[in-house]
Amino acid sequence: DLKNIRHEKRKFPEGFLFGTATSSYQVEGAWNDDGKAEGIWDRLTHARPCTVKNCDTGDIAGNSYYNYKRDVEMMRELGLDFYRFSLSWPRILPTSFSDQVNEAGLNYYNNLINEMLKYNIEPMITLYHWDLPQKLQDLGGWTNPHVVDWFTDYAKIAFEAFGDRVKFWFTINEPREVCYQGYAGASMAPLYNMSGYAEYLCAKNLLVAHAKAYHLYNNEYRPKQGGTIGIVVSASWHEPETENDIVAAEDANQFEWGQYAHPIFSESGDFPAVMKERVAANSADQGFFRSRLPEFTAEEIDMIKGSSDFFGLNHYTSSLIVRNESVNGYHVSPSYYDDIGVIMYKSNTWEDIGSPWLKVVPEGFYKLLTKIREDYGNPTVFVTENGCMQITAGLEDDTRVSFYKRYLEAMLDAMDEGSDVQVYTAWSLMDNFEWMQGYNDRFGLYEVNFSIPERTRTARKSAYFYKELIRTKELDMHYEPDMSVPMTI
Ligand code: PNW
């Protein structure tokens, strides 16, 4: 699978940063300890058990709330420059609002941050990685425009508490997954399932909330704390099935991630033109008095434009796109996919690692980075997630080592042509609660033993590979990790 190697060894630029990532609900556990309130994933896994594979919950997960010292030890073993983790909103704000702060929650994050800083590992914080307080969900969650104030207040509390030591901030992880999977569909909490409306309300409110938090940091905290802040967008590459589908594939890019990137990174701002046109035209055909896509005010367009210091990018895979405007058999109407007017599927020529959605397509990463460079004036890119799962437990994860080699190679190809990538983040430091897949799909460089209370972590082959990459700052396509050597700091 390494047949087209263009370089045997390639150096990363001076100052390039390597890290790993996790998120609060996926690793912390301690779901109701020390005053933590209920989040939407607590509600989903408890009230609708077995909508998640094997009826798994994040009640204990990797137990990182109690295992944070071991987590930092793993970061040291790998030699990470940074670690990206998220704050649990319901752990920090027990009422969801700004009136009460849970000191025990702050202590946990302070302990983690301080332990990392002891060893020169840079903390990078994501404010929102999907665990909304349930009470805010009961008020409509991201469809309620007041979420803008709720989120900004929460962000302020986090900047105040940790900003003296934390210099890298991400507002929201993956708006598409929040809005599409959670609100249009039912493949993430809160299982809203209201496609054609709810995801667009969510998108608007989320972008305004992000921008308000950005400006709060920029105006009040950056002058004294001096950090950097931005959003994290998940983007797949959409490849046209045939030449006739080039426009369709571009429509898919604009709906799927341009929806969130265009308002922030383009010169004109606002939702992509094609998205406004298509949703308006469909809405008119369907008899609506107005477009189902809400409009930004001119003031909001301005406030959102430029509200990210870098393009935070989560990338995993690609899809093939074919134009399909008919609703028969494929789309209900109105719906999000009816608005895009495409069908998405996976090529059977792409490497299959046992997942229906994650096919290994490194050239898609190269094409995506190239498009981001060309469309948005070469923004600084932080790759905030990249990685692949294995379906069965085990330490000899050769497939993952090969995945990392080839995706890193594709990234270096784009960088050679000018893409300004400065940060790379492997998802994930360790196995964790993989949302609807529970503990079935394992993304960790470290394996976690979920069947014993200690939740013991053990380095996989990919951890050895990543450690060597970081030590040498060089991608060696032929490097074969030697797992007989014990993993040490
Ligand atoms: C990420 N795609 O979501 C999430 O940020 C993580 O919490 C999660 O564990 C990880 O992926 C693995 O699934 C994704 O469009 C969002 O290909 C989008 C895509 C993939 C993953």
Side-chain angles (χ1 to χ4, degrees):
D1 58 347
L2 297 175
K3 46 189 176 301
N4 297 316
I5 293 177
R6 288 172 296 287
H7 305 76
E8 304 278 306
K9 292 185 177 186
R10 286 162 96 175
K11 270 278 177 210
F12 279 83
E14 197 66 34
F16 194 92
L17 300 179
F18 291 100
T20 65
T22 60
S23 85
S24 44
Y25 187 76
Q26 293 180 277
V27 300
E28 284 178 7
W31 80 275
N32 64 353
D33 292 8
D34 295 346
K36 181 183 163 294
E38 185 189 25
I40 57 175
W41 280 91
D42 298 313
R43 176 65 64 89
L44 184 154
T45 54
H46 298 157
R48 305 187 59 180
C50 310
T51 46
V52 172
K53 194 153 196 162
N54 301 322
C55 317
D56 288 336
T57 77
D59 289 0
I60 302 173
N63 216 16
S64 282
Y65 189 71
Y66 298 104
N67 278 333
Y68 73 91
K69 286 199 173 161
R70 170 65 180 135
D71 292 350
V72 176
E73 192 176 82
M74 285 141 59
M75 300 171 206
R76 295 169 65 203
E77 289 173 357
L78 294 171
L80 301 187
D81 296 311
F82 69 88
Y83 175 58
R84 172 180 174 245
F85 62 97
S86 80
L87 305 180
S88 162
W89 188 339
R91 189 181 297 290
I92 292 182
L93 300 185
T95 70
S96 310
F97 302 108
S98 53
D99 58 322
Q100 278 179 41
V101 177
N102 178 16
E103 287 301 324
L106 294 185
N107 279 345
Y108 166 63
Y109 296 112
N110 277 324
N111 289 339
L112 173 62
I113 291 165
N114 294 340
E115 182 76 5
M116 288 169 61
L117 289 175
K118 231 196 261 178
Y119 303 106
N120 279 321
I121 300 159
E122 193 81 50
M124 294 192 179
I125 288 188
T126 309
L127 291 171
Y128 185 74
H129 198 130
W130 308 359
D131 44 357
L132 195 75
Q134 180 60 39
K135 191 193 284 178
L136 300 184
Q137 194 62 59
D138 295 341
L139 292 167
W142 293 99
T143 65
N144 185 333
H146 292 287
V147 74
V148 172
D149 291 339
W150 307 331
F151 182 71
T152 316
D153 292 349
Y154 162 58
K156 185 179 175 68
I157 286 161
F159 299 148
E160 284 286 343
F162 310 119
D164 57 332
R165 286 152 295 150
V166 174
K167 303 302 161 191
F168 291 86
W169 294 93
F170 306 107
T171 53
I172 292 162
N173 183 68
E174 301 189 343
R176 179 199 176 270
E177 276 48 52
V178 175
C179 296
Y180 177 72
Q181 307 226 51
Y183 288 82
S187 46
M188 288 283 176
L191 313 180
Y192 231 67
N193 210 8
M194 213 184 275
S195 190
Y197 316 87
E199 68 275 51
Y200 298 136
L201 303 182
C202 171
K204 179 185 173 176
N205 296 329
L206 182 152
L207 282 162
V208 175
H210 151 77
K212 278 263 164 79
Y214 175 87
H215 289 292
L216 172 68
Y217 187 81
N218 196 43
N219 298 333
E220 289 183 31
Y221 293 92
R222 200 201 301 271
K224 47 185 191 228
Q225 297 181 347
T228 184
I229 180 167
I231 197 166
V232 172
V233 174
S234 65
S236 292
W237 176 249
H238 299 101
E239 181 75 20
E241 184 194 66
T242 70
E243 281 191 5
N244 299 328
D245 301 301
I246 290 172
V247 176
E250 175 61 6
D251 290 355
N253 281 328
Q254 292 307 328
F255 268 82
E256 289 282 271
W257 49 269
Q259 179 173 172
Y260 306 100
H262 191 274
I264 298 173
F265 298 100
S266 72
E267 256 171 52
S268 53
D270 201 355
F271 286 126
V274 66
M275 188 182 166
K276 294 200 293 182
E277 285 155 19
R278 291 191 67 95
V279 182
N282 275 356
S283 301
D285 284 351
Q286 291 152 352
F288 289 89
F289 287 9
R290 65 187 79 236
S291 177
R292 286 176 281 102
L293 182 68
E295 289 180 5
F296 290 115
T297 64
E299 204 183 311
E300 286 168 341
I301 290 174
D302 255 23
M303 180 187 62
I304 296 168
K305 216 193 309 174
S307 63
S308 193
D309 298 334
F310 48 79
F311 193 118
L313 173 65
N314 289 359
H315 177 75
Y316 290 87
T317 193
S318 296
S319 289
L320 279 179
I321 303 297
V322 58
R323 178 59 87 201
N324 183 288
E325 302 276 9
S326 82
V327 293
N328 301 345
Y330 292 104
H331 308 303
V332 290
S333 177
S335 74
Y336 176 74
Y337 278 99
D338 184 44
D339 289 336
I340 314 181
V342 300
I343 293 171
M344 300 186 176
Y345 69 102
K346 303 288 173 180
S347 168
N348 55 21
T349 67
W350 291 338
E351 185 186 331
D352 183 354
I353 56 171
S355 157
W357 66 270
L358 204 165
K359 305 294 170 189
V360 183
V361 196
E363 64 272 21
F365 193 20
Y366 165 80
K367 290 179 183 180
L368 177 66
L369 287 167
T370 304
K371 184 172 171 60
I372 289 170
R373 179 176 82 235
E374 290 174 348
D375 285 8
Y376 303 129
N378 200 10
T380 294
V381 174
F382 289 3
V383 175
T384 36
E385 286 179 25
N386 176 237
C388 72
M389 77 281 271
Q390 62 193 80
I391 309 294
T392 46
L395 299 176
E396 304 251 349
D397 56 346
D398 294 288
T399 306
R400 181 175 291 116
V401 173
S402 157
F403 177 99
Y404 278 125
K405 282 181 179 173
R406 287 181 296 151
Y407 272 69
L408 286 163
E409 186 185 46
M411 184 177 86
L412 284 165
D413 286 346
M415 290 165 68
D416 278 354
E417 292 172 13
S419 287
D420 182 23
V421 184
Q422 299 186 1
V423 163
Y424 179 84
T425 316
W427 181 275
S428 174
L429 175 61
M430 62 189 133
D431 292 340
N432 55 56
F433 178 82
E434 178 50 24
W435 308 115
M436 298 309 254
Q437 298 309 311
Y439 300 103
N440 193 66
D441 290 11
R442 290 159 174 263
F443 278 80
L445 298 176
Y446 282 75
E447 179 181 79
V448 176
N449 185 345
F450 292 105
S451 43
I452 55 172
E454 294 74 21
R455 297 297 194 272
T456 308
R457 292 107 156 92
T458 311
R460 289 200 170 101
K461 198 183 252 192
S462 55
Y464 285 79
F465 163 77
Y466 203 49
K467 181 185 172 88
E468 181 68 3
L469 178 84
I470 296 171
R471 189 185 71 79
T472 59
K473 309 277 183 218
E474 181 173 75
L475 176 62
D476 178 351
M477 295 302 278
H478 297 291
Y479 178 70
E480 276 299 326
D482 176 4
M483 291 181 71
S484 64
V485 185
M487 180 56 95
T488 51
I489 290 165

